[in-house]
């Protein structure tokens, strides 16, 4: 696992293609208190300060590397290999991590020496947590514990600690487990996962959650927008991955954080990769205005602003209420309050919330 533009050219409908793919939600911690439904104002706002002593910040990180990708030869197919780490946290006013979830998306796309894609682009993409034993660390790597078990051990270790305490106690200089108890389960390289937890904590905002809430993490991924190389036109391996970290009391959402990855790697009709596979792959939130919805699509609000507005709108609502938000045939919202800020398709967001709530 390593570090992580692509611009928005298909304009507002990308999320709708992702609703058929997977990502298993994980639940930690129970909550006994509720928050009031958020009112939509037609503007983009963030909740920057805690309302009560028990309120916590909700954070999310998506860290992506494609550095293990290789071009095709006449003997061996090329592969764009995506290593995507997901981290969700809640953090209290003292900087202590109150809940934590780790997951990953091990997606890949193969192509031949003529630039033709040989991967089934309609196949479901499963996360590492969803794969469970089928991820194969026990079967093929001889590990005692599977990836999801090792990641859960690190996430459990993180709870009750500040980022500094986590960083100094969990891993040694080589990024392996330094804590003896943690090392009994977690034998994989942990350095990148600790960094992802730290990034999620740094991204965390006061969005309405309390320390007793259930933290959920869900993702929906697709390679469906990828295309082969043809003549002078380069091929593209494109992973679209929508992710949410949300907290719940029963069936009610108490905070919601959404981000998305649109990771592109180009290759030509000789099977050579033409993209810099060592370059960072920022998320749409990280790109901000550089994602280009205002510049290229004439949008009033950028993608990250619209995602934040949707997340604020659904906070305080039940999952069934989110699923019932009125949309048009392109899954863009039709209600005046939400449509005042959110003009993109929200079908993917609704699917994320539903998946996280399962």
């Amino acid at each position: 696992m390593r570090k992580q533009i692509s611009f928005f050219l298909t304009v507002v409908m990308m999320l709708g293609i992702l609703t058929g793919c997977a990502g298993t939600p994980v639940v930690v911690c129970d909550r006994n208190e509720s928050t009031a439904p958020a009112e939509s104002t037609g503007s983009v706002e963030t909740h920057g300060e805690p309302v009560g002593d028990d309120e916590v910040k909700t954070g999310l990180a998506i860290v992506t590397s494609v550095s293990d990708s290789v071009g095709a030869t006449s003997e061996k197919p090329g592969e764009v290999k995506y290593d995507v780490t997901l981290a969700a946290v809640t953090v209290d006013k003292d900087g202590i991590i109150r809940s934590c979830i780790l997951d990953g998306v091990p997606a890949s796309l193969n192509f031949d020496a003529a630039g033709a894609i040989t991967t089934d682009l309609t196949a479901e993409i499963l996360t590492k947590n969803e794969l469970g034993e089928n991820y194969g660390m026990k079967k093929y790597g001889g590990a005692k514990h599977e990836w999801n078990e090792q990641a859960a051990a690190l996430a459990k270790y993180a709870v009750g600690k500040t980022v500094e305490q986590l960083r100094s106690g969990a891993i040694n200089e080589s990024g392996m487990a330094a804590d003896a108890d943690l090392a009994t389960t977690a034998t994989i390289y942990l350095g990148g996962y600790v960094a992802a937890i730290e990034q999620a904590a740094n991204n965390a905002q006061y969005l309405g959650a309390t320390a007793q809430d259930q933290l959920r993490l869900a993702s929906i991924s697709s390679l469906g927008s990828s295309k082969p190389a043809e003549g002078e036109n380069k091929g593209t391996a494109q992973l679209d991955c929508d992710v949410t970290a949300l907290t719940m009391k029963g069936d009610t959402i108490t905070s919601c954080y959404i981000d998305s990855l649109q990771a592109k790697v180009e290759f030509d009709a000789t099977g050579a990769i033409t993209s810099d596979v060592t370059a960072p792959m920022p998320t749409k939130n990280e790109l901000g205005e550089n994602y280009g919805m205002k510049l290229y699509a004439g949008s009033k609000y950028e993608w990250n602003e619209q995602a934040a507005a949707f997340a604020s709108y659904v906070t305080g609502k039940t999952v069934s209420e989110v699923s019932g938000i009125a949309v048009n045939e392109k899954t863009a919202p039709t209600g005046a309050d939400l449509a005042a800020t959110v003009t993109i398709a929200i079908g993917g967001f609704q699917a994320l919330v539903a998946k996280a709530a399962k």
Side-chain angles (χ1 to χ4, degrees):
M1 193 195 81
R2 295 149 210 87
K3 284 191 173 248
Q4 26 175 226
I5 192 182
S6 59
F7 280 92
F8 180 84
L9 298 177
T10 55
V11 197
V12 297
M13 301 306 157
M14 279 304 305
L15 293 172
I17 66 170
L18 301 179
T19 58
C21 302
T24 298
V26 185
V27 181
V28 295
C29 194
D30 286 327
R31 174 190 166 176
N32 298 312
E33 298 179 7
S34 64
T35 57
E39 296 291 335
S40 174
T41 62
S43 62
V44 178
E45 299 179 355
T46 58
H47 181 185
E49 297 295 333
V51 172
D53 290 339
D54 202 32
E55 190 167 2
V56 294
K57 295 185 285 186
T58 305
L60 174 66
I62 307 172
V63 185
T64 306
S65 171
V66 294
S67 61
D68 285 340
S69 302
V70 294
T73 66
S74 57
E75 294 81 25
K76 190 175 181 180
E79 180 183 27
V80 175
K81 187 173 182 180
Y82 293 97
D83 183 5
V84 183
T85 296
L86 312 176
V89 297
T90 58
V91 183
D92 70 16
K93 60 183 176 60
D94 297 316
I96 296 172
I97 297 167
R98 300 298 293 269
S99 56
C100 179
I101 305 170
L102 289 168
D103 203 352
V105 182
S108 63
L109 180 141
N110 293 109
F111 54 94
D112 63 23
I117 292 174
T118 57
T119 295
D120 179 4
L121 300 182
T122 67
E124 185 178 38
I125 298 176
L126 305 178
T127 70
K128 293 180 181 179
N129 283 342
E130 184 170 40
L131 285 167
E133 297 267 334
N134 291 327
Y135 186 60
M137 287 188 60
K138 290 181 180 178
K139 183 175 181 180
Y140 299 106
K144 182 178 180 181
H145 297 282
E146 194 49 76
W147 186 94
N148 61 310
E149 297 172 309
Q150 300 197 39
L154 176 59
K156 181 178 179 181
Y157 179 87
V159 173
K161 298 176 177 63
T162 65
V163 166
E164 178 56 36
Q165 289 169 337
L166 169 65
R167 197 169 48 230
S168 62
I171 55 175
N172 58 29
E173 292 181 355
S174 299
M176 305 301 289
D179 178 83
D181 289 338
L182 179 61
T184 61
T185 301
T187 57
I188 58 176
Y189 174 77
L190 299 179
Y193 301 112
V194 170
I197 295 172
E198 179 175 4
Q199 184 172 322
N202 290 339
N203 290 341
Q205 303 173 44
Y206 287 109
L207 301 173
T210 71
Q212 290 76 39
D213 289 347
Q214 292 182 342
L215 176 64
R216 313 285 185 104
L217 172 65
S219 64
I220 296 175
S221 300
S222 172
L223 289 166
S225 293
S226 302
K227 60 183 180 180
E230 296 178 347
E232 297 299 316
N233 297 320
K234 292 180 180 178
T236 304
Q238 179 171 323
L239 177 67
D240 293 296
C241 180
D242 290 349
V243 187
T244 187
L246 57 81
T247 56
M248 300 185 70
K249 175 194 175 181
D251 196 38
T252 301
I253 298 162
T254 57
S255 72
C256 182
Y257 194 128
I258 293 174
D259 201 354
S260 184
L261 174 72
Q262 189 180 79
K264 296 181 180 180
V265 175
E266 294 185 333
F267 52 92
D268 64 22
T270 70
I273 291 176
T274 59
S275 297
D276 179 3
V277 296
T278 66
M281 289 205 160
T283 68
K284 293 180 184 180
N285 282 348
E286 290 167 338
L287 285 169
E289 296 222 350
N290 289 327
Y291 187 57
M293 285 186 60
K294 291 181 179 178
L295 182 62
Y296 296 102
S299 177
K300 183 178 180 181
Y301 295 104
E302 193 50 73
W303 186 95
N304 62 306
E305 297 174 305
Q306 299 199 38
F310 175 87
S312 178
Y313 181 83
V314 301
T315 299
K317 291 180 169 57
T318 66
V319 175
S320 60
E321 287 172 336
V322 175
S323 298
I325 294 174
V327 297
N328 61 22
E329 67 280 359
K330 296 179 179 179
T331 77
T334 57
D337 286 349
L338 187 57
T341 304
V342 181
T343 58
I344 58 177
I346 63 168
F349 291 162
Q350 290 171 302
L352 269 179
V353 170
K355 185 173 289 294
K358 289 182 179 178

